[in-house]
Amino acid sequence: SEIQVDGGNLYVNGQIRRNPSNAAGILQYSQSGGTVTLYGRNCVAPFNNNAKLEGLNNGSDFTMSGGTLTIVRGNGGTFGDLYLRPQTASVTGGTIVFAPLASVGSNQVYQVDADVSLYHVTITGFNATNTATLRLMVSPLMVNGDLTLSNTNSVLNAVAASGNSINVTFNGNVINLGNPASYLYGTNLTTYSASTSAPYFGAQSITGTAFNYYDLDVNPGTSLTLNGNTTVNRNLSIGTGLLICGTNRVNVLGNFYNNGSYTDNNALGTGIILSGTASQQVGGTGTFGWLELNNAAGAVLINGITLNENLTLTQGILDIKEFLLTLEQNSIIEENGTPFGPAKMITTDGVLSNTGIKKFFSTSVPQSFKYPIGTSGKYTPAVLSFSTSDYVGSVRINNINSTQPSIFDPANALKYYWDVESSGISGFQGNLFLTYDPADVVGGPESSYQSAWLITPGSSWSVNGGTVDPVGHTITFPYAAGTENLSGAYTAGSSGSFPPTIPTYTSNQSG
């Protein structure tokens, strides 16, 4: 059988289907314009076992490049209401509409199974007692055009009657004139992946009311623009392109992987918020905007990341392990609510092979930056402040939960030190304030401790160049005007704990 619609109106009171007594029927359907309306009247057994429109079996074809196809009645049986599994297909345009009429008088559930991509899809409920729900059956849904939910009586349900959650891919725009509950996602994966060709040129948008999601993959050719606050109940992955948050926030309850980029309006409450109840993972090689941790169970880095905007710690610990956390010139680490401490900080593994926190500084002065760093159960922050700086440079600080290995008398020295590396520093004048845990004071007494800085490059300790406060458990290292190097190991201990010259060993051959 063959149907070709190029214009005009085709009204079908019942179905376009196979003979119920012969499952081998073949349909070649082609529509380039016009309007086709399937009313689905009198679709009771045995006809309810066939869809309102079905195309399957070898030799079948479904081609749609324009026009509108409307299905009025739903509630189909075995094959649902739209069943498309043709041997060949080409869908490059047109709109498929699921919309009851006033005369239908009851809620309509349109079951769809299409293993071919559709173009524009519109769901339009009539009123609260005559709603329209598009329910997926087996095959993932791919919409290459726009998805439109016309009102609050219109629903896209990705949870099949079997209980399986069906994946959905949007390659065009989403227009949701309903509410967040207009998309029932279950435990599916939703993907945005517009191509760079016309008419979207890789740019997608969500207008109306924002959706929520279970798993969300953002892979647009260029960008996806949000229009409201969104919750991702499990994992968010930005694979390619740009996620434009604007003034909105994305609450992520699972893991967050960013290999693309995202932007916001550079304000607290926008961007990505890690707000789960179990430990979350953060990783990816992309560009990070505003990132907030609001999870008492904390989060863990799986690779080094760079933040172009602020990192906000509202609650929980960010464990960066051995990886490097880099903050650009305009980025800070801020506490929102309770102060930093053992339950709200950035932790490392506490070994020298870790890399810690790296901050880039501009030349504007004065500046002060807190590295809220520590190890498990031990908060040992560093604060770098300066009044002069000639060049844009960076300072990396890592905390090591052991005695500095070149100390001559470890029985009378702090069992903790900080590894500092500066780059591009010139004309620098300021102070480095380090806070240690009193439980790391060994020997002493603490009142006899002196500051010690093992300058790198070099092999000698600068002892007592700073001050130790045994009451506040802090060490202060001043930098005179014109300082160009802050690198080295910083700690404290009793007089005589630090050798005047550190032995140097050189390998003359491999092995």
Side-chain angles (χ1 to χ4, degrees), residues 21-324:
S21 63
N22 183 3
I26 297 171
L27 172 66
Q28 293 185 350
Y29 182 92
S30 176
Q31 184 174 0
S32 62
T35 299
V36 177
T37 304
L38 305 179
Y39 289 102
R41 291 195 179 102
N42 299 322
C43 293
V44 296
F47 308 118
N48 196 41
N49 289 330
N50 295 89
K52 306 303 184 296
L53 172 63
E54 55 185 12
L56 67 163
N57 296 323
N58 290 336
S60 61
D61 178 77
F62 184 81
T63 299
M64 192 171 187
S65 59
T68 301
L69 169 63
T70 300
I71 299 178
V72 175
R73 287 174 174 81
N75 304 319
T78 304
F79 291 92
D81 300 287
L82 178 64
Y83 191 84
L84 297 178
R85 291 192 177 186
Q87 182 181 16
T88 59
S90 175
V91 181
T92 58
T95 302
I96 299 179
V97 179
F98 301 89
L101 300 175
S103 58
V104 173
S106 62
N107 296 331
Q108 300 299 303
V109 178
Y110 304 92
Q111 295 199 85
V112 173
D113 185 26
D115 67 358
V116 301
S117 60
L118 307 180
Y119 205 70
H120 298 311
V121 174
T122 299
I123 307 170
T124 304
F126 187 77
N127 56 34
T129 59
N130 199 356
T131 60
T133 298
L134 177 62
R135 188 172 198 175
L136 307 184
M137 297 176 66
V138 177
S139 301
L141 175 66
M142 179 176 290
V143 182
N144 287 337
D146 294 341
L147 171 73
T148 301
L149 302 178
S150 301
N151 50 46
T152 56
N153 305 308
S154 312
V155 175
L156 172 59
N157 186 358
V159 182
S162 64
N164 293 329
S165 295
I166 312 300
N167 294 340
V168 176
T169 298
F170 299 119
N171 291 328
N173 299 322
V174 170
I175 302 100
N176 178 23
L177 303 179
N179 52 54
S182 296
Y183 179 39
L184 305 178
Y185 43 80
T187 57
N188 80 341
L189 168 65
T190 304
T191 302
Y192 289 85
S193 58
S195 70
T196 55
S197 59
Y200 300 101
F201 298 102
Q204 293 176 270
S205 65
I206 304 170
T207 55
T209 303
F211 281 162
N212 294 324
Y213 308 92
Y214 186 68
D215 284 329
L216 175 61
D217 278 2
V218 178
N219 292 296
T222 54
S223 64
L224 171 65
T225 301
L226 301 181
N227 67 316
N229 297 331
T230 296
T231 296
V232 180
N233 287 274
R234 203 173 70 145
N235 300 334
L236 168 62
S237 175
I238 304 175
T240 60
L242 172 66
L243 176 63
I244 303 174
C245 299
T247 60
N248 308 301
R249 65 179 180 269
V250 181
N251 293 293
V252 180
L253 307 187
N255 300 328
F256 174 43
Y257 309 106
N258 175 28
N259 290 305
S261 60
Y262 66 94
T263 60
D264 45 68
N265 70 339
N266 199 14
L268 180 63
T270 65
I272 306 297
I273 301 177
L274 305 174
S275 53
T277 56
S279 179
Q280 299 175 256
Q281 291 184 351
V282 180
T285 58
T287 302
F288 287 75
W290 199 293
L291 182 64
E292 178 181 350
L293 176 60
N294 188 11
N295 179 359
V300 179
L301 288 191
I302 61 173
N303 59 257
I305 66 173
T306 298
L307 293 171
N308 285 338
E309 298 177 22
N310 291 358
L311 171 64
T312 299
L313 300 183
T314 299
Q315 61 172 337
I317 292 173
L318 177 61
D319 184 0
I320 64 175
K321 293 190 172 296
E322 73 268 29
F323 303 112
L324 180 63

Side-chain angles (χ1 to χ4, degrees), residues 338-357:
T338 58
F340 293 128
K344 189 170 86 169
M345 60 175 172
I346 296 172
T347 62
T348 69
D349 290 340
V351 295
L352 182 59
S353 60
N354 293 170
T355 46
I357 302 172

